C-alpha cells in the first residue's frame, strides 16, 4: 500500500484535463504509440466532438522513481455540472487531486465547485498551470488567483503544457511526494466504494470500485449494501487500457467486478461492496439516489416507431442509469415517454445518442422541472407534468426547486449579468472580486428559470466569458399557476405549462400570437386563448376563410345583402360546432422553441 497513489484530475471544461491524462499515460509507458489517439480516455464519438468528458474512466499506471516501483490509479471525472454527483464519488475514491487551471483563462466556476468538493474530502491538492506554451498565457495573474483560492505557496504551483508534455515529469514527482498513500486495514471486513459502472452486452454491468478496507478474491460471495442484493464475483481485476483479471485485490487498490448483473438499476454509483459472511459495520458515507431534475416528453415523429423508441431508451438506460422514463400519451403528439434528466446537457446528449446510435427521430417537449404540491388534505404530491396537477380547490401551496449558482465573469459585464439574474427571479447573495477584472457572483434562483435559455443569454451578454455552475439547495414555496392553451374552448394538453404568475401574461400572449401565425385558416373562426383556471388572460383569433356572398348583388337594397350575410353567418356557426381544429406538427415545434 505504501507505493499506491490514487488521484483524480479536476478542472473546468476545456482546460486540458483529458490531454494531461494522455501525457501521463505516454510518460508512464501505459500506452504504446500505435494505440495512441488524442483524448484516449474519451471513447465516445460525442465526447471527442464536443471536447467534454461524459463518462468518467479509471486507468492504472506503473511508474518507477529512485529505484522504487509505484502504482498510480488515475480516476477520471466528468467536467460538466450535470454530472456533479459522479464527480463527488470519484473524488471520494481518491487521496489527492490535480487541479488544472488554464493559464490563458484563469479560474472558472467549475474549477471552484469541484475544488470545494476535493477540500471537503480532505484531498491533497496539486495546482497545475496548464497551456504555458500559448502566446496569450498570463502566468503571474493566474498564479495570484490560485494562491488566493487555495492558499498555497507560489512555488508549489507547477507550470506545464499538456499539449507539448512540458512539466509532466514534475507532476509525476509531485504525485508521489505530495499525495499520501492509501490508509486501510487489509485484514478488516471488505469495504469498497463503487464510483462508476459500464455496460457490456456480453458480460452485463461492470462495476468499478476502490477498496478502503479488507480484500476481495475471485469467486467471493459479495453484497451491495444500499441495494441489498447479493452476487458472486465471477471476475475481478485492474483497469489498464483493457481490463486485466486478477485473483485477489486488497485495500488501497482500484479495480472492477463482473457478476453477470443485467439491470443497470442494481448497480448504483456510491454504493458499498462487502462480503456476505463478514460484512462491514458501516457503509461508505455519501450514497444518494441520483434524482432527475429536468423532465421532458420524448415522442417519436412517426407514431409507428413507438415500440422501437421504447427499446432504444431501454438500451440507452443500460449505459446511463441516471436516465429515467415512464410512458405517457398526449392528444397532440400521440404516444411517447416522459423522461427525467440530470440537467440540460444530459438531455441534449440523450437526444443526440438516440439519433446517432439508434437512428430515432424524436420530438422533445418543453423541458420542465418537478414541483411539489401540498394539498388541502396535507398530502405531498410530486408533479412532473402540468397535466398531473390537482384542481385549484385541492391545492394548498406549490413548491419549486431552487439552486445556488455561481457565475464568474469579467467585471465589465457585471451590470447585464445582475439584470439577467434578477429578471429570472434570482436573489443576489454575494459578489467577490477575485482579481482586478474578474468577479464571482453567488445567487439563489429557481431551477425552472434556467432550463429554458438562461445559459445561452448569459453567454451572449458576456461575449462567451462567463462561466456558470449550480447546485440544488432545496424547495421553496412559489406563486405558480398552470397556464392552459385553448382552441375553440378545447384544451391542448401538449402546450400547457407551469409558470410563475408574474410571467404568465407575457408568455400566454406570446404563445397565442405564435399559434395564430401557424394554424392554417379554416372555414370558421378559431379562438386561441391562454387561460389560468377559468380566467382568460390572452386571446387571438384566426379569421375564417370567407366566400364573398354579396358579389352577385350589384346595387339594390342593403337588406338583400344583409340576408345573404346572415345566412352565411349561421352556416359558419353550425360548422364551428362540428368542426375540428387541426394543429400542424410545425406549430407544436415552433411553440416548444418559443424561448
Amino acid at each position: 500500500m505504501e507505493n499506491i497513489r490514487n488521484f483524480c484530475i479536476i478542472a473546468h471544461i476545456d482546460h486540458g484535463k483529458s490531454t494531461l491524462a494522455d501525457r501521463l499515460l505516454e510518460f508512464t509507458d501505459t500506452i504504446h504509440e500505435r494505440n495512441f489517439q488524442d483524448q484516449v480516455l474519451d471513447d465516445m464519438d460525442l465526447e471527442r466532438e464536443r471536447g467534454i468528458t461524459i463518462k468518467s474512466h479509471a486507468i492504472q499506471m506503473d511508474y518507477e522513481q529512485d529505484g522504487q516501483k509505484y502504482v498510480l490509479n488515475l480516476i477520471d471525472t466528468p467536467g460538466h455540472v450535470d454530472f456533479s454527483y459522479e464527480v463527488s464519488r470519484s473524488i471520494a475514491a481518491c487521496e489527492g487531486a490535480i487541479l488544472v487551471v488554464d493559464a490563458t483563462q484563469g479560474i472558472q466556476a467549475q474549477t471552484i465547485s469541484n475544488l470545494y468538493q476535493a477540500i471537503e474530502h480532505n484531498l491533497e491538492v496539486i495546482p497545475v498551470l496548464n497551456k504555458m506554451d500559448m502566446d496569450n498565457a498570463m502566468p503571474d495573474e493566474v498564479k495570484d488567483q490560485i494562491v488566493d483560492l487555495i492558499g498555497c505557496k507560489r512555488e508549489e504551483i507547477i507550470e506545464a503544457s499538456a499539449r507539448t508534455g512540458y512539466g509532466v515529469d514534475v507532476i509525476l514527482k509531485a504525485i508521489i511526494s505530495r499525495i499520501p498513500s492509501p490508509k486501510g486495514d487489509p485484514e478488516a471486513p471488505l469495504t469498497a466504494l463503487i464510483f462508476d459502472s459500464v455496460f457490456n452486452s456480453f458480460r452485463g454491468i461492470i462495476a468499478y470500485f476502490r477498496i478502503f478496507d479488507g480484500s476481495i478474491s475471485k469467486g467471493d460471495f459479495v453484497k451491495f449494501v444500499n441495494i441489498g442484493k447479493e452476487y458472486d464475483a465471477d471476475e475481478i481485476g485492474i483497469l489498464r487500457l483493457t481490463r486485466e483479471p486478477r485473483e485477489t485485490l486488497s485495500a488501497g487498490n482500484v479495480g472492477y467486478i463482473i457478476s453477470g448483473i443485467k439491470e443497470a438499476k442494481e448497480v448504483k454509483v456510491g454504493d458499498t461492496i462487502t462480503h456476505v459472511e463478514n460484512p462491514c459495520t458501516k457503509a461508505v458515507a455519501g450514497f444518494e439516489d441520483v434524482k432527475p431534475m429536468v423532465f421532458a416528453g420524448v415522442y417519436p415523429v412517426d407514431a409507428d416507431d413507438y415500440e422501437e423508441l421504447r427499446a432504444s431508451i431501454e438500451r440507452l438506460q443500460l449505459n446511463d442509469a441516471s436516465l429515467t422514463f415512464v410512458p405517457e400519451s398526449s392528444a397532440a403528439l400521440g404516444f411517447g415517454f416522459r423522461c427525467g434528466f440530470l440537467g440540460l446537457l444530459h438531455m441534449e446528449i440523450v437526444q443526440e445518442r438516440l439519433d446517432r446510435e439508434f437512428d430515432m427521430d424524436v420530438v422533445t417537449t418543453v423541458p420542465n422541472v418537478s414541483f411539489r404540491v401540498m394539498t388541502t388534505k396535507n398530502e405531498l404530491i410530486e408533479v412532473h407534468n402540468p397535466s398531473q396537477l390537482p384542481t385549484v380547490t385541492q391545492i394548498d401551496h406549490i413548491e419549486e426547486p431552487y439552486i445556488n449558482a455561481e457565475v464568474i465573469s469579467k467585471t465589465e459585464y457585471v451590470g447585464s449579468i445582475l439584470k439577467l439574474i434578477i429578471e429570472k427571479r434570482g436573489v443576489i447573495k454575494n459578489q467577490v472580486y477575485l482579481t482586478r477584472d474578474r468577479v464571482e457572483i453567488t445567487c439563489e434562483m429557481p431551477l425552472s428559470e434556467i432550463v429554458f435559455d438562461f445559459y445561452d443569454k448569459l453567454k451572449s451578454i458576456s461575449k462567451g466569458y462567463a462561466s456558470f455552475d449550480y447546485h440544488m439547495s432545496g424547495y421553496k414555496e412559489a406563486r405558480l399557476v398552470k397556464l392552459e392553451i385553448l382552441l375553440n374552448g378545447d384544451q391542448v394538453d401538449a402546450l400547457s405549462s407551469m409558470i410563475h404568475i408574474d410571467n404568465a401574461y407575457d408568455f400566454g400572449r406570446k404563445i397565442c400570437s405564435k399559434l395564430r401565425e401557424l394554424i392554417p385558416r379554416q372555414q370558421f373562426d378559431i379562438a386561441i386563448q391562454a387561460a389560468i383556471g377559468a380566467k382568460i388572460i390572452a386571446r387571438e383569433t384566426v379569421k375564417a376563410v370567407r366566400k364573398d356572398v354579396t358579389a352577385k348583388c350589384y346595387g339594390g337594397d342593403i337588406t338583400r345583402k344583409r340576408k345573404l350575410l346572415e345566412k352565411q353567418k349561421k352556416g359558419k356557426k353550425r360548422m364551428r360546432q362540428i368542426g375540428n381544429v387541426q394543429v400542424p406538427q410545425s406549430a407544436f415545434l415552433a411553440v416548444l422553441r418559443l424561448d
Side-chain angles (χ1 to χ4, degrees):
M1 277 171 64
E2 288 299 309
N3 292 1
I4 297 176
R5 299 287 182 274
N6 297 323
F7 68 99
C8 59
I9 304 177
I10 52 181
H12 188 75
I13 297 164
D14 244 6
H15 280 201
K17 193 159 59 79
S18 297
T19 315
L20 179 61
D22 288 350
R23 291 297 88 77
L24 291 171
L25 295 178
E26 276 183 349
F27 212 86
T28 55
D29 292 331
T30 308
I31 184 166
H32 298 297
E33 261 178 53
R34 65 197 174 116
N35 294 336
F36 182 73
Q37 53 176 349
D38 284 339
Q39 278 93 32
V40 72
L41 294 181
D42 294 345
D43 47 15
M44 220 184 282
D45 289 343
L46 209 54
E47 292 182 312
R48 293 173 173 284
E49 278 170 33
R50 291 181 173 227
I52 56 175
T53 301
I54 295 167
K55 198 89 183 98
S56 58
H57 292 261
I59 193 158
Q60 191 176 96
M61 298 172 273
D62 290 331
Y63 182 60
E64 196 170 319
Q65 185 182 312
D66 304 332
Q68 284 271 17
K69 287 190 175 174
Y70 292 93
V71 173
L72 311 180
N73 287 310
L74 164 59
I75 296 170
D76 193 15
T77 57
H80 203 276
V81 53
D82 286 1
F83 308 111
S84 56
Y85 174 62
E86 275 194 30
V87 175
S88 80
R89 295 299 82 206
S90 294
I91 286 174
C94 299
E95 276 82 34
I98 298 175
L99 175 73
V100 178
V101 180
D102 187 332
T104 62
Q105 292 182 25
I107 283 168
Q108 302 274 18
Q110 276 170 314
T111 316
I112 292 182
S113 73
N114 287 350
L115 176 71
Y116 286 163
Q117 288 199 20
I119 291 169
E120 268 172 39
H121 286 90
N122 294 326
L123 263 60
E124 179 63 42
V125 176
I126 300 173
V128 172
L129 197 56
N130 192 21
K131 304 195 186 179
M132 286 297 292
D133 59 320
M134 304 281 274
D135 296 336
N136 56 341
M138 316 171 288
D140 293 333
E141 282 179 45
V142 181
K143 275 185 183 177
D144 289 342
Q145 293 175 23
I146 295 172
V147 171
D148 285 349
L149 183 67
I150 60 176
C152 64
K153 298 190 180 89
R154 278 180 80 91
E155 56 271 17
E156 286 179 6
I157 300 168
I158 300 170
E159 295 186 1
S161 162
R163 195 176 59 171
T164 62
Y166 161 66
V168 174
D169 53 339
V170 188
I171 294 172
L172 281 165
K173 281 177 184 150
I175 290 169
I176 286 164
S177 60
R178 292 202 217 165
I179 295 176
S181 58
K183 308 267 184 292
D185 180 1
E187 303 305 317
L190 173 67
T191 311
L193 166 75
I194 297 177
F195 61 83
D196 196 13
S197 65
V198 292
F199 177 73
N200 180 306
S201 44
F202 302 109
R203 310 292 305 268
I205 306 284
I206 301 168
Y208 295 168
F209 60 79
R210 147 79 203 270
I211 305 175
F212 287 103
D213 287 315
S215 60
I216 182 170
S217 301
K218 185 179 174 181
D220 282 358
F221 196 36
V222 295
K223 180 166 101 174
F224 290 14
V225 176
N226 290 294
I227 293 165
K229 296 275 179 102
E230 297 174 357
Y231 304 102
D232 283 313
D234 297 338
E235 185 184 307
I236 60 164
I238 58 167
L239 297 149
R240 293 293 173 100
L241 271 180
T242 53
R243 292 184 296 276
E244 293 185 7
R246 293 282 186 272
E247 286 301 314
T248 305
L249 289 175
S250 62
N253 269 303
V254 172
Y256 69 89
I257 179 170
I258 301 178
S259 315
I261 305 166
K262 291 286 185 278
E263 288 283 322
K265 298 182 195 75
E266 291 179 22
V267 178
K268 293 195 170 168
V269 171
D271 205 345
T272 305
I273 305 176
T274 188
H275 283 128
V276 175
E277 266 122 48
N278 184 15
C280 57
T281 47
K282 65 173 199 274
V284 180
F287 173 77
E288 55 185 72
D289 274 326
V290 182
K291 280 212 173 87
M293 280 295 129
V294 174
F295 294 85
V298 176
Y299 294 86
V301 169
D302 184 355
D304 297 342
D305 293 341
Y306 174 73
E307 281 304 325
E308 210 175 311
L309 178 63
R310 177 198 285 276
S312 304
I313 295 179
E314 276 173 358
R315 281 174 61 195
L316 196 56
Q317 200 183 32
L318 290 171
N319 279 320
D320 185 353
S322 45
L323 170 68
T324 59
F325 70 99
V326 288
E328 74 166 3
S329 65
S330 144
L333 299 167
F335 291 101
F337 298 94
R338 187 105 197 135
C339 296
F341 308 96
L342 296 177
L344 289 180
L345 177 90
H346 187 211
M347 174 174 149
E348 218 176 294
I349 285 166
V350 168
Q351 260 176 284
E352 187 90 14
R353 286 182 71 183
L354 280 173
D355 180 31
R356 287 188 185 198
E357 295 172 25
F358 305 101
D359 211 15
M360 289 304 308
D361 214 357
V362 294
V363 177
T364 312
T365 64
V366 183
N368 65 342
V369 300
S370 62
F371 300 98
R372 294 206 303 212
V373 178
M374 181 60 85
T375 64
T376 45
K377 293 178 181 172
N378 267 351
E379 290 173 341
L380 196 65
I381 305 170
E382 272 215 1
V383 174
H384 304 315
N385 194 346
S387 58
Q388 298 172 339
L389 202 69
T391 54
V392 183
T393 50
Q394 295 175 329
I395 297 172
D396 181 54
H397 66 264
I398 301 175
E399 296 174 354
E400 65 175 333
Y402 266 69
I403 56 165
N404 283 329
E406 288 124 29
V407 178
I408 294 183
S409 168
K410 289 199 162 182
T411 43
E412 61 210 77
Y413 308 119
V414 168
S416 11
I417 290 172
L418 293 181
K419 186 172 168 234
L420 173 69
I421 291 170
I422 290 161
E423 268 174 20
K424 296 285 187 184
R425 300 192 282 130
V427 177
I428 313 292
K429 289 288 190 69
N430 198 359
Q431 205 171 319
V432 181
Y433 283 82
L434 300 170
T435 61
R436 209 176 50 248
D437 63 341
R438 287 168 69 76
V439 63
E440 181 189 5
I441 300 163
T442 313
C443 60
E444 187 175 49
M445 59 197 296
L447 181 63
S448 57
E449 293 290 344
I450 71 159
V451 296
F452 269 126
D453 59 346
F454 176 79
Y455 198 60
D456 295 344
K457 280 186 176 168
L458 179 69
K459 282 291 184 195
S460 57
I461 60 179
S462 66
K463 300 192 170 54
Y465 278 111
S467 62
F468 173 68
D469 192 60
Y470 66 87
H471 295 285
M472 286 300 300
S473 65
Y475 283 79
K476 283 190 177 181
E477 202 173 315
R479 294 169 61 220
L480 297 170
V481 289
K482 181 181 174 185
L483 182 72
E484 291 173 342
I485 302 297
L486 312 173
L487 294 181
N488 276 350
D490 294 333
Q491 186 190 330
V492 184
D493 63 342
L495 297 179
S496 54
S497 57
M498 294 283 291
I499 196 160
H500 194 266
I501 197 157
D502 296 347
N503 306 338
Y505 289 85
D506 286 345
F507 192 68
R509 209 166 46 244
K510 264 193 204 167
I511 285 195
C512 290
S513 57
K514 191 80 176 168
L515 282 173
R516 196 185 106 195
E517 294 165 23
L518 295 162
I519 292 178
R521 290 170 72 185
Q522 318 261 340
Q523 291 284 343
F524 49 90
D525 282 3
I526 302 170
I528 304 167
Q529 295 165 311
I532 297 172
K535 186 181 178 188
I536 305 296
I537 58 168
R539 173 181 169 134
E540 295 282 352
T541 309
V542 179
K543 297 307 269 178
V545 182
R546 299 181 64 158
K547 180 181 170 188
D548 188 356
V549 287
T550 58
K552 60 186 178 187
C553 302
Y554 46 94
D557 188 12
I558 183 69
T559 51
R560 289 185 61 205
K561 292 183 180 175
R562 179 71 41 77
K563 183 179 159 192
L564 289 167
L565 288 167
E566 287 297 327
K567 189 178 172 189
Q568 184 191 38
K569 200 171 169 185
K570 269 185 192 168
K572 294 279 181 205
K573 190 176 177 186
R574 192 167 63 248
M575 196 178 272
R576 193 175 79 207
Q577 285 166 356
I578 58 168
N580 279 332
V581 183
Q582 293 297 318
V583 184
Q585 189 95 14
S586 61
F588 284 108
L589 297 183
V591 172
L592 299 183
R593 299 200 180 102
L594 186 64
D595 267 58

